[in-house]
Amino acid sequence: MMTYTFISIAAVFSVLSAPSEAFSHSSPLKVSATQRLKSDLMYRKISQIDEKEAASTVLPTAIAEPNTVKVAAPKKTKHLMKIDFKKDLSKYLDVTLPYYSLENENAIVDGTTGEYRGIICTVKNEAPIGREIGEISFFDYLRAAGCISSAAAALINPAKKRYHYPSEEYSVDVNPARGKWLIEELSSIVNGEAFLEKASDPVFLVMCANMSKRSGTFCGALKTNDTVWYITAKFYIISAPLFKRKFPPLSTPSSSLYTSTNPYESLSSKVQSIKTYSSFDKDWVCVEGTLPQVTFEDCSGHFHDNPCLAHSVMIFHSCDLLGTAIEKLTGVHIPFKKSDFGKDYGLRPMSFDCTPQTLHFPNTGGLKFQVKAYCSSGEMGKPKSIYTVEVSAIQDDTELVCFKATGRFVLIPPVALASSLRL
């Protein structure tokens, strides 16, 4: 086996530029997606929304009363330009199919300067929902966030060569009130609101900022049927040749990089040797387990020609273990499932702050996942109770930390129970 030296992502550059701080009345018979989102925000009184409202799984559909005062329509300063993955992006991105999960991609172009500002697209929802609930899994969300931010950065980057755009840190807020940012961005784009209204799949919009030769930031929002996922992140910009010097690919037949199967459609619960610890009065639970050594096929499409386990896949296994931890803590059965039909209890992320630190390559040992969970709001095990979690993944062989994160997850009951309790 080839000896492999692991280097943290941050060590690739000794100095990084400091990123700045993140960032008409319709017929009652038919309500457009944009109007529904606007009325949702008005209903929830964005500035005063509390955690209980943020955890809601269904957006209200009341139509806002027409304003009697005429307000000037927002100025459309940007427009959309259709782009194609194979023609416009594949030569410059660090990811490829089947990991790449975007569809209907449109570049957001500044109407005055002609410069690219971001991307809007729809998102594939392929992976099992696992122990979560809702329209999209945390894995598919982070997978799409990585793809769309890299695609936007590649368009904006004046150097038309292949680059890697690994994340330095990111924060996720799952909250219907975040739709305000999405509405503001769409209102400044010609046909922006129409794109949202016509889409049948989740819509993701990302804007990049503070791009330098070595780093950048982005913020974005994904709109599903029942909530809005908002993300801000800082990322590195590393040329493909420099990346290969720091992380030389392990020798492997090229055919294994582009298998016809899609491993992300069949992700499953693979963490083994699970151990559970708890306090004497069981007010917190800690669960740890090991993911066996990953293969090249587990990394298909990530990266372009240098297989590496995607961070989103690590989060998938963390969420699986997290579900086990909260199940042990509460005594509530939270099953692993292919899709969410509203028949079982499940978890939904409310917030998640993560710092990726080390890349993990195939055939280099296993990963140890650790989760600590405790009830931070509501009554333990009851619907809408909220759990704060601490999550990490550490390489077995080197003991290097792949990522550390903290977050909050809400326990959502089955639809029938939620209806009877009028939640």
Side-chain angles (χ1 to χ4, degrees), residues 219-357:
C219 57
L222 179 137
K223 173 70 173 69
T224 65
N225 288 332
D226 53 5
T227 193
V228 175
W229 299 61
Y230 181 79
I231 185 170
T232 58
K234 303 175 185 178
F235 59 89
Y236 300 110
I237 301 175
I238 308 173
S239 68
L242 176 59
F243 188 89
K244 280 190 175 182
R245 288 201 297 271
K246 296 295 184 181
F247 307 104
L250 299 174
S251 58
T252 176
S254 59
S255 60
S256 69
L257 297 178
Y258 305 99
T259 57
S260 57
T261 58
N262 183 345
Y264 309 110
E265 293 178 339
S266 56
L267 287 172
S268 60
S269 183
K270 292 183 178 180
V271 177
Q272 303 173 358
S273 305
I274 296 176
K275 300 177 182 178
T276 304
Y277 311 90
S278 65
S279 61
F280 179 77
D281 53 3
K282 293 187 177 180
D283 58 350
W284 59 262
V285 165
C286 182
V287 178
E288 65 179 38
T290 301
L291 181 70
Q293 181 169 277
V294 299
T295 66
F296 292 106
E297 286 73 20
D298 294 325
C299 313
S300 190
H302 186 282
F303 294 111
H304 166 69
D305 58 358
N306 191 351
C308 174
L309 186 67
H311 172 75
S312 58
V313 175
M314 297 185 197
I315 296 300
F316 175 88
H317 292 298
S318 294
C319 286
D320 180 32
L321 199 62
L322 186 154
T324 299
I326 295 178
E327 188 175 71
K328 297 281 187 183
L329 181 66
T330 63
V332 175
H333 182 48
I334 307 173
F336 185 98
K337 47 198 175 293
K338 176 68 176 178
S339 301
D340 174 35
F341 296 107
K343 296 181 180 180
D344 301 291
Y345 274 89
L347 299 171
R348 161 165 289 167
M350 294 181 65
S351 63
F352 198 77
D353 300 307
C354 184
T355 306
Q357 297 182 28

Side-chain angles (χ1 to χ4, degrees), residues 125-163:
N125 187 13
E126 296 180 328
I129 197 70
R131 299 180 191 271
E132 302 171 55
I133 60 96
E135 187 178 356
I136 191 168
S137 67
F138 203 177
F139 160 79
D140 269 324
Y141 172 72
L142 288 179
R143 171 191 181 190
C147 290
I148 191 173
S149 60
S150 294
L155 286 178
I156 296 170
N157 193 339
K160 296 307 176 186
K161 299 178 182 179
R162 194 180 304 280
Y163 280 81

Side-chain angles (χ1 to χ4, degrees), residues 8-25:
S8 67
I9 301 173
V12 175
F13 297 117
S14 59
V15 178
L16 292 175
S17 58
S20 66
E21 191 174 342
F23 328 49
S24 89
H25 185 54

Side-chain angles (χ1 to χ4, degrees), residues 209-222:
N210 306 312
M211 290 274 290
S212 69
K213 290 183 178 181
R214 295 182 174 179
S215 64
T217 64
F218 76 86
C219 57
L222 179 137

